[in-house]
Amino acid sequence: MKIKCVELREIRLPLVHFFETSFGRTTTRRIVLVRVEVDGLTGWGEVTCGEEPFYSHETPETAWHILRDFLIPSTLGKEWPSPSALAARFRPIRGHNMAKAALENALWDVEAQQKGLPLAKLVGGTREEIPCGVSIGIQNSVEELLDKIATELAAGYQRIKVKVKPGWDVDILARIREKFPRILLMADANSAYTLADLAHLKLFDRFNLMMVEQPLGWEDLLDHARLQREIATPVCLDESIHSADQARQAIEIGACKIINIKLGRVGGFTSAREVHDVCRARNVPVWCGGMLESGIGRAHNIAMSALPGFVLPGDVSASARYWTDDIIDPPVTVTPRGTIQVPQTPGLGYTPDLVRIEKATVRKERFE
Ligand code: OSB
Ligand code: MG
């Protein structure tokens, strides 16, 4: 695979509804897209970082810098036997997994087209449809949250994840359980607590949660292991897991019982499959996390979710929950039973809409 050209662009996409976590509220996404020309084919990737360095250190600006000054120069014009060879080339560069993933994943898109395989099949996916959940942010009132949950359940989604933080947690979960006693429910804290909150976190056990996601420090494993010994609710790690080694270590010390895999956070399909394999070999269920992706990142998430270890519903949901006009055609839709059909056509299975992408573009740079 010879990379003839790479194009970076930043698009702005307003969210249909603001998304609020323990680190703040997002109303418009800034997304860096990577387009590669390889052997006469075009592949797309998406940098999944947030606008601000709160979820991780990466931002659109750092990703642009790392891609332009390091990742693209080291790969352009060269022949790559596989996308995984590219991932190996990126390994000496520490961190910046989301920038790396965008370029590597674009190559997977190309390889799927070259081989005439659906991307899901190429990466080892076995599922034809994936179970879907939704992640619902912090709302202005608990009534609005309960309404949103009712709407998503009516649409068929199989599990509800709510964001929690100190002051928006136990009382909110109690109100949800009062109204929806039997639904699959989980809470994501995005590192809003510390072990000093142990007594408070123990109260989460009242609500029969499938899991509590990343309650403690964003780099921590040890305190999560301590917490997991003290609570019955399974701990799921998100922010703390960037590689298969960290996944193995987390499982070995009992820091979690479940892992959320995000393609960007772990650095692309090569690493994501390694994390998946580590978890599968140890009977640790995984699911696909979301980063408010545009259709391109969403299509990659769907492909990854087809891997056999992705047994729990992920945060991969319909385009219309995020965008009035997604940048792919067709948009991602969800069946009434809360699943997404994995595309069976070669490549991504969705076509990037160049007109909509161009309209949303605020800057562009081409490297040949
Ligand atoms: O922690 O899973 C998270 C969004 C942005 C940053 C972090 C997270 C999230 C979500 C949204 O939960 C998932 C989605 O709907 O894409
Ligand atoms: Mg999370």
PDB file of all heavy atoms in Angstrom, residues 1-6 36-39 69-83 85-86 89-90 103 107 114 367-368:
ATOM      1  N   MET A   1       0.863  -1.180   0.000  1.00  0.00           N
ATOM      2  CA  MET A   1       0.000   0.000   0.000  1.00  0.00           C
ATOM      3  C   MET A   1       0.902   1.234   0.000  1.00  0.00           C
ATOM      4  O   MET A   1       1.605   1.480   0.960  1.00  0.00           O
ATOM      5  CB  MET A   1      -0.873   0.019   1.271  1.00  0.00           C
ATOM      6  CG  MET A   1      -1.594  -1.291   1.558  1.00  0.00           C
ATOM      7  SD  MET A   1      -2.588  -1.209   3.068  1.00  0.00           S
ATOM      8  CE  MET A   1      -4.081  -0.481   2.427  1.00  0.00           C
ATOM      9  N   LYS A   2       0.847   1.970  -1.128  1.00  0.00           N
ATOM     10  CA  LYS A   2       1.693   3.157  -1.219  1.00  0.00           C
ATOM     11  C   LYS A   2       0.858   4.419  -0.995  1.00  0.00           C
ATOM     12  O   LYS A   2      -0.093   4.683  -1.735  1.00  0.00           O
ATOM     13  CB  LYS A   2       2.380   3.201  -2.587  1.00  0.00           C
ATOM     14  CG  LYS A   2       3.379   4.322  -2.675  1.00  0.00           C
ATOM     15  CD  LYS A   2       4.325   4.163  -3.843  1.00  0.00           C
ATOM     16  CE  LYS A   2       5.271   5.353  -3.848  1.00  0.00           C
ATOM     17  NZ  LYS A   2       6.201   5.298  -4.951  1.00  0.00           N
ATOM     18  N   ILE A   3       1.238   5.186   0.028  1.00  0.00           N
ATOM     19  CA  ILE A   3       0.470   6.399   0.352  1.00  0.00           C
ATOM     20  C   ILE A   3       0.924   7.530  -0.553  1.00  0.00           C
ATOM     21  O   ILE A   3       2.022   8.065  -0.409  1.00  0.00           O
ATOM     22  CB  ILE A   3       0.637   6.780   1.835  1.00  0.00           C
ATOM     23  CG1 ILE A   3       0.256   5.591   2.739  1.00  0.00           C
ATOM     24  CG2 ILE A   3      -0.219   8.005   2.170  1.00  0.00           C
ATOM     25  CD1 ILE A   3       0.389   5.853   4.216  1.00  0.00           C
ATOM     26  N   LYS A   4       0.060   7.882  -1.495  1.00  0.00           N
ATOM     27  CA  LYS A   4       0.419   8.895  -2.487  1.00  0.00           C
ATOM     28  C   LYS A   4       0.120  10.296  -1.952  1.00  0.00           C
ATOM     29  O   LYS A   4       0.849  11.251  -2.235  1.00  0.00           O
ATOM     30  CB  LYS A   4      -0.394   8.636  -3.758  1.00  0.00           C
ATOM     31  CG  LYS A   4      -0.117   9.616  -4.868  1.00  0.00           C
ATOM     32  CD  LYS A   4      -0.815   9.206  -6.162  1.00  0.00           C
ATOM     33  CE  LYS A   4      -0.907  10.412  -7.088  1.00  0.00           C
ATOM     34  NZ  LYS A   4      -2.255  10.964  -7.189  1.00  0.00           N
ATOM     35  N   CYS A   5      -0.940  10.402  -1.182  1.00  0.00           N
ATOM     36  CA  CYS A   5      -1.376  11.719  -0.737  1.00  0.00           C
ATOM     37  C   CYS A   5      -2.183  11.585   0.541  1.00  0.00           C
ATOM     38  O   CYS A   5      -2.903  10.603   0.736  1.00  0.00           O
ATOM     39  CB  CYS A   5      -2.218  12.318  -1.864  1.00  0.00           C
ATOM     40  SG  CYS A   5      -3.319  13.630  -1.350  1.00  0.00           S
ATOM     41  N   VAL A   6      -2.000  12.551   1.450  1.00  0.00           N
ATOM     42  CA  VAL A   6      -2.835  12.615   2.655  1.00  0.00           C
ATOM     43  C   VAL A   6      -3.429  14.008   2.732  1.00  0.00           C
ATOM     44  O   VAL A   6      -2.735  14.993   2.509  1.00  0.00           O
ATOM     45  CB  VAL A   6      -2.028  12.341   3.955  1.00  0.00           C
ATOM     46  CG1 VAL A   6      -2.943  12.373   5.173  1.00  0.00           C
ATOM     47  CG2 VAL A   6      -1.289  11.020   3.883  1.00  0.00           C
ATOM     48  N   VAL A  36      -6.840   9.567   2.740  1.00  0.00           N
ATOM     49  CA  VAL A  36      -5.608   9.090   2.093  1.00  0.00           C
ATOM     50  C   VAL A  36      -5.909   8.628   0.681  1.00  0.00           C
ATOM     51  O   VAL A  36      -7.008   8.138   0.393  1.00  0.00           O
ATOM     52  CB  VAL A  36      -4.953   7.919   2.868  1.00  0.00           C
ATOM     53  CG1 VAL A  36      -4.509   8.360   4.249  1.00  0.00           C
ATOM     54  CG2 VAL A  36      -5.876   6.717   2.966  1.00  0.00           C
ATOM     55  N   GLU A  37      -4.930   8.812  -0.207  1.00  0.00           N
ATOM     56  CA  GLU A  37      -5.001   8.209  -1.543  1.00  0.00           C
ATOM     57  C   GLU A  37      -3.916   7.153  -1.608  1.00  0.00           C
ATOM     58  O   GLU A  37      -2.730   7.452  -1.450  1.00  0.00           O
ATOM     59  CB  GLU A  37      -4.788   9.272  -2.623  1.00  0.00           C
ATOM     60  CG  GLU A  37      -5.998  10.180  -2.797  1.00  0.00           C
ATOM     61  CD  GLU A  37      -5.721  11.360  -3.727  1.00  0.00           C
ATOM     62  OE1 GLU A  37      -4.835  11.248  -4.608  1.00  0.00           O
ATOM     63  OE2 GLU A  37      -6.385  12.392  -3.537  1.00  0.00           O
ATOM     64  N   VAL A  38      -4.357   5.918  -1.787  1.00  0.00           N
ATOM     65  CA  VAL A  38      -3.456   4.764  -1.760  1.00  0.00           C
ATOM     66  C   VAL A  38      -3.803   3.842  -2.922  1.00  0.00           C
ATOM     67  O   VAL A  38      -4.944   3.372  -3.013  1.00  0.00           O
ATOM     68  CB  VAL A  38      -3.611   3.985  -0.424  1.00  0.00           C
ATOM     69  CG1 VAL A  38      -2.753   2.724  -0.432  1.00  0.00           C
ATOM     70  CG2 VAL A  38      -3.257   4.856   0.768  1.00  0.00           C
ATOM     71  N   ASP A  39      -2.852   3.573  -3.786  1.00  0.00           N
ATOM     72  CA  ASP A  39      -3.061   2.637  -4.912  1.00  0.00           C
ATOM     73  C   ASP A  39      -4.349   2.948  -5.679  1.00  0.00           C
ATOM     74  O   ASP A  39      -5.102   2.034  -6.038  1.00  0.00           O
ATOM     75  CB  ASP A  39      -3.121   1.179  -4.389  1.00  0.00           C
ATOM     76  CG  ASP A  39      -1.922   0.832  -3.511  1.00  0.00           C
ATOM     77  OD1 ASP A  39      -0.893   1.532  -3.596  1.00  0.00           O
ATOM     78  OD2 ASP A  39      -2.016  -0.139  -2.730  1.00  0.00           O
ATOM     79  N   ASP A  69       3.492  17.016  11.279  1.00  0.00           N
ATOM     80  CA  ASP A  69       4.939  17.094  11.486  1.00  0.00           C
ATOM     81  C   ASP A  69       5.622  15.745  11.725  1.00  0.00           C
ATOM     82  O   ASP A  69       6.840  15.651  11.606  1.00  0.00           O
ATOM     83  CB  ASP A  69       5.240  18.042  12.655  1.00  0.00           C
ATOM     84  CG  ASP A  69       4.777  19.465  12.355  1.00  0.00           C
ATOM     85  OD1 ASP A  69       4.775  19.832  11.156  1.00  0.00           O
ATOM     86  OD2 ASP A  69       4.382  20.187  13.280  1.00  0.00           O
ATOM     87  N   PHE A  70       4.855  14.719  12.084  1.00  0.00           N
ATOM     88  CA  PHE A  70       5.487  13.422  12.393  1.00  0.00           C
ATOM     89  C   PHE A  70       4.871  12.241  11.658  1.00  0.00           C
ATOM     90  O   PHE A  70       5.579  11.491  10.993  1.00  0.00           O
ATOM     91  CB  PHE A  70       5.459  13.180  13.913  1.00  0.00           C
ATOM     92  CG  PHE A  70       6.192  14.242  14.680  1.00  0.00           C
ATOM     93  CD1 PHE A  70       5.501  15.254  15.344  1.00  0.00           C
ATOM     94  CD2 PHE A  70       7.579  14.247  14.714  1.00  0.00           C
ATOM     95  CE1 PHE A  70       6.183  16.252  16.024  1.00  0.00           C
ATOM     96  CE2 PHE A  70       8.275  15.246  15.391  1.00  0.00           C
ATOM     97  CZ  PHE A  70       7.568  16.248  16.055  1.00  0.00           C
ATOM     98  N   LEU A  71       3.571  12.058  11.799  1.00  0.00           N
ATOM     99  CA  LEU A  71       2.972  10.825  11.259  1.00  0.00           C
ATOM    100  C   LEU A  71       2.947  10.839   9.731  1.00  0.00           C
ATOM    101  O   LEU A  71       3.333   9.856   9.093  1.00  0.00           O
ATOM    102  CB  LEU A  71       1.547  10.639  11.826  1.00  0.00           C
ATOM    103  CG  LEU A  71       1.443  10.615  13.353  1.00  0.00           C
ATOM    104  CD1 LEU A  71      -0.013  10.435  13.789  1.00  0.00           C
ATOM    105  CD2 LEU A  71       2.299   9.499  13.947  1.00  0.00           C
ATOM    106  N   ILE A  72       2.501  11.925   9.155  1.00  0.00           N
ATOM    107  CA  ILE A  72       2.418  11.975   7.686  1.00  0.00           C
ATOM    108  C   ILE A  72       3.809  11.932   7.044  1.00  0.00           C
ATOM    109  O   ILE A  72       4.040  11.108   6.143  1.00  0.00           O
ATOM    110  CB  ILE A  72       1.577  13.188   7.224  1.00  0.00           C
ATOM    111  CG1 ILE A  72       0.122  13.003   7.683  1.00  0.00           C
ATOM    112  CG2 ILE A  72       1.643  13.358   5.701  1.00  0.00           C
ATOM    113  CD1 ILE A  72      -0.780  14.198   7.455  1.00  0.00           C
ATOM    114  N   PRO A  73       4.796  12.753   7.513  1.00  0.00           N
ATOM    115  CA  PRO A  73       6.130  12.679   6.882  1.00  0.00           C
ATOM    116  C   PRO A  73       6.769  11.286   6.960  1.00  0.00           C
ATOM    117  O   PRO A  73       7.515  10.901   6.076  1.00  0.00           O
ATOM    118  CB  PRO A  73       6.957  13.703   7.673  1.00  0.00           C
ATOM    119  CG  PRO A  73       5.950  14.643   8.242  1.00  0.00           C
ATOM    120  CD  PRO A  73       4.709  13.833   8.500  1.00  0.00           C
ATOM    121  N   SER A  74       6.466  10.533   8.016  1.00  0.00           N
ATOM    122  CA  SER A  74       7.133   9.229   8.158  1.00  0.00           C
ATOM    123  C   SER A  74       6.455   8.146   7.313  1.00  0.00           C
ATOM    124  O   SER A  74       6.961   7.023   7.243  1.00  0.00           O
ATOM    125  CB  SER A  74       7.182   8.809   9.626  1.00  0.00           C
ATOM    126  OG  SER A  74       5.897   8.437  10.065  1.00  0.00           O
ATOM    127  N   THR A  75       5.325   8.454   6.704  1.00  0.00           N
ATOM    128  CA  THR A  75       4.599   7.406   5.987  1.00  0.00           C
ATOM    129  C   THR A  75       4.352   7.731   4.514  1.00  0.00           C
ATOM    130  O   THR A  75       4.149   6.830   3.709  1.00  0.00           O
ATOM    131  CB  THR A  75       3.217   7.162   6.646  1.00  0.00           C
ATOM    132  OG1 THR A  75       2.532   8.414   6.775  1.00  0.00           O
ATOM    133  CG2 THR A  75       3.366   6.553   8.005  1.00  0.00           C
ATOM    134  N   LEU A  76       4.387   9.021   4.172  1.00  0.00           N
ATOM    135  CA  LEU A  76       4.038   9.467   2.826  1.00  0.00           C
ATOM    136  C   LEU A  76       5.015   8.943   1.781  1.00  0.00           C
ATOM    137  O   LEU A  76       6.225   8.940   2.000  1.00  0.00           O
ATOM    138  CB  LEU A  76       4.036  11.003   2.815  1.00  0.00           C
ATOM    139  CG  LEU A  76       3.292  11.709   1.689  1.00  0.00           C
ATOM    140  CD1 LEU A  76       1.806  11.361   1.730  1.00  0.00           C
ATOM    141  CD2 LEU A  76       3.460  13.223   1.829  1.00  0.00           C
ATOM    142  N   GLY A  77       4.471   8.482   0.658  1.00  0.00           N
ATOM    143  CA  GLY A  77       5.315   8.054  -0.465  1.00  0.00           C
ATOM    144  C   GLY A  77       5.935   6.689  -0.266  1.00  0.00           C
ATOM    145  O   GLY A  77       6.639   6.186  -1.129  1.00  0.00           O
ATOM    146  N   LYS A  78       5.708   6.082   0.903  1.00  0.00           N
ATOM    147  CA  LYS A  78       6.324   4.771   1.172  1.00  0.00           C
ATOM    148  C   LYS A  78       5.318   3.653   0.947  1.00  0.00           C
ATOM    149  O   LYS A  78       4.120   3.853   0.959  1.00  0.00           O
ATOM    150  CB  LYS A  78       6.837   4.717   2.615  1.00  0.00           C
ATOM    151  CG  LYS A  78       7.905   5.759   2.885  1.00  0.00           C
ATOM    152  CD  LYS A  78       8.699   5.432   4.141  1.00  0.00           C
ATOM    153  CE  LYS A  78       9.771   6.486   4.366  1.00  0.00           C
ATOM    154  NZ  LYS A  78       9.437   7.437   5.442  1.00  0.00           N
ATOM    155  N   GLU A  79       5.883   2.467   0.798  1.00  0.00           N
ATOM    156  CA  GLU A  79       5.093   1.264   0.571  1.00  0.00           C
ATOM    157  C   GLU A  79       4.865   0.569   1.925  1.00  0.00           C
ATOM    158  O   GLU A  79       5.818   0.297   2.640  1.00  0.00           O
ATOM    159  CB  GLU A  79       5.898   0.366  -0.386  1.00  0.00           C
ATOM    160  CG  GLU A  79       5.259  -0.941  -0.748  1.00  0.00           C
ATOM    161  CD  GLU A  79       4.044  -0.788  -1.654  1.00  0.00           C
ATOM    162  OE1 GLU A  79       4.040   0.093  -2.532  1.00  0.00           O
ATOM    163  OE2 GLU A  79       3.096  -1.566  -1.466  1.00  0.00           O
ATOM    164  N   TRP A  80       3.602   0.310   2.277  1.00  0.00           N
ATOM    165  CA  TRP A  80       3.282  -0.345   3.551  1.00  0.00           C
ATOM    166  C   TRP A  80       2.616  -1.681   3.284  1.00  0.00           C
ATOM    167  O   TRP A  80       1.607  -1.729   2.598  1.00  0.00           O
ATOM    168  CB  TRP A  80       2.387   0.556   4.401  1.00  0.00           C
ATOM    169  CG  TRP A  80       3.103   1.833   4.720  1.00  0.00           C
ATOM    170  CD1 TRP A  80       3.029   3.009   4.036  1.00  0.00           C
ATOM    171  CD2 TRP A  80       4.071   2.030   5.751  1.00  0.00           C
ATOM    172  NE1 TRP A  80       3.873   3.927   4.587  1.00  0.00           N
ATOM    173  CE2 TRP A  80       4.533   3.361   5.632  1.00  0.00           C
ATOM    174  CE3 TRP A  80       4.600   1.214   6.758  1.00  0.00           C
ATOM    175  CZ2 TRP A  80       5.496   3.888   6.495  1.00  0.00           C
ATOM    176  CZ3 TRP A  80       5.552   1.738   7.618  1.00  0.00           C
ATOM    177  CH2 TRP A  80       5.993   3.067   7.482  1.00  0.00           C
ATOM    178  N   PRO A  81       3.186  -2.770   3.830  1.00  0.00           N
ATOM    179  CA  PRO A  81       2.590  -4.082   3.566  1.00  0.00           C
ATOM    180  C   PRO A  81       1.181  -4.217   4.153  1.00  0.00           C
ATOM    181  O   PRO A  81       0.382  -4.995   3.652  1.00  0.00           O
ATOM    182  CB  PRO A  81       3.555  -5.070   4.232  1.00  0.00           C
ATOM    183  CG  PRO A  81       4.408  -4.268   5.144  1.00  0.00           C
ATOM    184  CD  PRO A  81       4.424  -2.865   4.625  1.00  0.00           C
ATOM    185  N   SER A  82       0.893  -3.451   5.214  1.00  0.00           N
ATOM    186  CA  SER A  82      -0.418  -3.566   5.867  1.00  0.00           C
ATOM    187  C   SER A  82      -0.622  -2.349   6.763  1.00  0.00           C
ATOM    188  O   SER A  82       0.349  -1.680   7.138  1.00  0.00           O
ATOM    189  CB  SER A  82      -0.463  -4.822   6.733  1.00  0.00           C
ATOM    190  OG  SER A  82       0.446  -4.661   7.810  1.00  0.00           O
ATOM    191  N   PRO A  83      -1.852  -2.082   7.158  1.00  0.00           N
ATOM    192  CA  PRO A  83      -2.079  -0.999   8.124  1.00  0.00           C
ATOM    193  C   PRO A  83      -1.346  -1.248   9.444  1.00  0.00           C
ATOM    194  O   PRO A  83      -0.918  -0.309  10.108  1.00  0.00           O
ATOM    195  CB  PRO A  83      -3.601  -1.020   8.330  1.00  0.00           C
ATOM    196  CG  PRO A  83      -4.163  -1.667   7.104  1.00  0.00           C
ATOM    197  CD  PRO A  83      -3.130  -2.652   6.658  1.00  0.00           C
ATOM    198  N   ALA A  85       1.555  -2.495   9.819  1.00  0.00           N
ATOM    199  CA  ALA A  85       2.957  -2.068   9.671  1.00  0.00           C
ATOM    200  C   ALA A  85       3.076  -0.575   9.956  1.00  0.00           C
ATOM    201  O   ALA A  85       4.063  -0.100  10.523  1.00  0.00           O
ATOM    202  CB  ALA A  85       3.454  -2.391   8.259  1.00  0.00           C
ATOM    203  N   LEU A  86       2.049   0.155   9.558  1.00  0.00           N
ATOM    204  CA  LEU A  86       2.018   1.585   9.851  1.00  0.00           C
ATOM    205  C   LEU A  86       1.933   1.799  11.373  1.00  0.00           C
ATOM    206  O   LEU A  86       2.638   2.636  11.945  1.00  0.00           O
ATOM    207  CB  LEU A  86       0.788   2.188   9.165  1.00  0.00           C
ATOM    208  CG  LEU A  86       0.758   3.674   8.944  1.00  0.00           C
ATOM    209  CD1 LEU A  86       1.571   4.001   7.699  1.00  0.00           C
ATOM    210  CD2 LEU A  86      -0.680   4.140   8.737  1.00  0.00           C
ATOM    211  N   ARG A  89       5.196   1.412  12.877  1.00  0.00           N
ATOM    212  CA  ARG A  89       6.038   2.587  12.603  1.00  0.00           C
ATOM    213  C   ARG A  89       5.727   3.729  13.574  1.00  0.00           C
ATOM    214  O   ARG A  89       6.595   4.528  13.916  1.00  0.00           O
ATOM    215  CB  ARG A  89       5.803   3.028  11.148  1.00  0.00           C
ATOM    216  CG  ARG A  89       6.520   4.308  10.738  1.00  0.00           C
ATOM    217  CD  ARG A  89       8.039   4.086  10.707  1.00  0.00           C
ATOM    218  NE  ARG A  89       8.769   5.333  10.461  1.00  0.00           N
ATOM    219  CZ  ARG A  89       9.020   6.253  11.386  1.00  0.00           C
ATOM    220  NH1 ARG A  89       8.590   6.090  12.625  1.00  0.00           N
ATOM    221  NH2 ARG A  89       9.693   7.346  11.084  1.00  0.00           N
ATOM    222  N   PHE A  90       4.491   3.811  14.028  1.00  0.00           N
ATOM    223  CA  PHE A  90       4.068   4.897  14.923  1.00  0.00           C
ATOM    224  C   PHE A  90       4.448   4.633  16.382  1.00  0.00           C
ATOM    225  O   PHE A  90       4.407   5.534  17.215  1.00  0.00           O
ATOM    226  CB  PHE A  90       2.541   5.089  14.862  1.00  0.00           C
ATOM    227  CG  PHE A  90       2.040   5.638  13.548  1.00  0.00           C
ATOM    228  CD1 PHE A  90       0.685   5.567  13.225  1.00  0.00           C
ATOM    229  CD2 PHE A  90       2.906   6.247  12.641  1.00  0.00           C
ATOM    230  CE1 PHE A  90       0.209   6.075  12.025  1.00  0.00           C
ATOM    231  CE2 PHE A  90       2.436   6.758  11.429  1.00  0.00           C
ATOM    232  CZ  PHE A  90       1.085   6.672  11.127  1.00  0.00           C
ATOM    233  N   LEU A 103      -5.051   8.023  10.949  1.00  0.00           N
ATOM    234  CA  LEU A 103      -4.293   7.672   9.741  1.00  0.00           C
ATOM    235  C   LEU A 103      -4.289   6.154   9.513  1.00  0.00           C
ATOM    236  O   LEU A 103      -4.525   5.670   8.405  1.00  0.00           O
ATOM    237  CB  LEU A 103      -2.867   8.230   9.844  1.00  0.00           C
ATOM    238  CG  LEU A 103      -1.955   8.115   8.627  1.00  0.00           C
ATOM    239  CD1 LEU A 103      -2.631   8.585   7.346  1.00  0.00           C
ATOM    240  CD2 LEU A 103      -0.675   8.935   8.841  1.00  0.00           C
ATOM    241  N   LEU A 107      -6.184   3.627   6.364  1.00  0.00           N
ATOM    242  CA  LEU A 107      -5.551   2.565   5.580  1.00  0.00           C
ATOM    243  C   LEU A 107      -6.346   1.252   5.638  1.00  0.00           C
ATOM    244  O   LEU A 107      -6.408   0.507   4.657  1.00  0.00           O
ATOM    245  CB  LEU A 107      -4.119   2.328   6.080  1.00  0.00           C
ATOM    246  CG  LEU A 107      -3.041   2.608   5.037  1.00  0.00           C
ATOM    247  CD1 LEU A 107      -3.031   4.083   4.676  1.00  0.00           C
ATOM    248  CD2 LEU A 107      -1.673   2.166   5.512  1.00  0.00           C
ATOM    249  N   GLN A 114      -9.583  -2.785  -1.298  1.00  0.00           N
ATOM    250  CA  GLN A 114      -8.677  -3.575  -2.147  1.00  0.00           C
ATOM    251  C   GLN A 114      -9.047  -5.044  -2.149  1.00  0.00           C
ATOM    252  O   GLN A 114      -9.007  -5.711  -3.171  1.00  0.00           O
ATOM    253  CB  GLN A 114      -7.234  -3.450  -1.636  1.00  0.00           C
ATOM    254  CG  GLN A 114      -6.532  -2.191  -2.093  1.00  0.00           C
ATOM    255  CD  GLN A 114      -5.101  -2.114  -1.557  1.00  0.00           C
ATOM    256  OE1 GLN A 114      -4.742  -2.750  -0.560  1.00  0.00           O
ATOM    257  NE2 GLN A 114      -4.283  -1.311  -2.228  1.00  0.00           N
ATOM    258  N   PHE A 367      -0.946  16.902   1.587  1.00  0.00           N
ATOM    259  CA  PHE A 367       0.468  16.478   1.600  1.00  0.00           C
ATOM    260  C   PHE A 367       0.669  15.438   0.512  1.00  0.00           C
ATOM    261  O   PHE A 367      -0.044  14.448   0.466  1.00  0.00           O
ATOM    262  CB  PHE A 367       0.829  15.867   2.956  1.00  0.00           C
ATOM    263  CG  PHE A 367       0.500  16.748   4.130  1.00  0.00           C
ATOM    264  CD1 PHE A 367      -0.783  16.737   4.677  1.00  0.00           C
ATOM    265  CD2 PHE A 367       1.444  17.598   4.687  1.00  0.00           C
ATOM    266  CE1 PHE A 367      -1.112  17.551   5.756  1.00  0.00           C
ATOM    267  CE2 PHE A 367       1.124  18.416   5.762  1.00  0.00           C
ATOM    268  CZ  PHE A 367      -0.154  18.399   6.297  1.00  0.00           C
ATOM    269  N   GLU A 368       1.648  15.697  -0.403  1.00  0.00           N
ATOM    270  CA  GLU A 368       1.887  14.719  -1.478  1.00  0.00           C
ATOM    271  C   GLU A 368       3.334  14.242  -1.438  1.00  0.00           C
ATOM    272  O   GLU A 368       4.218  14.994  -1.112  1.00  0.00           O
ATOM    273  CB  GLU A 368       1.631  15.321  -2.855  1.00  0.00           C
ATOM    274  CG  GLU A 368       0.418  16.177  -2.901  1.00  0.00           C
ATOM    275  CD  GLU A 368      -0.369  16.021  -4.208  1.00  0.00           C
ATOM    276  OE1 GLU A 368      -0.245  14.971  -4.873  1.00  0.00           O
ATOM    277  OE2 GLU A 368      -1.098  16.951  -4.539  1.00  0.00           O
TER     278      GLU A 368
END
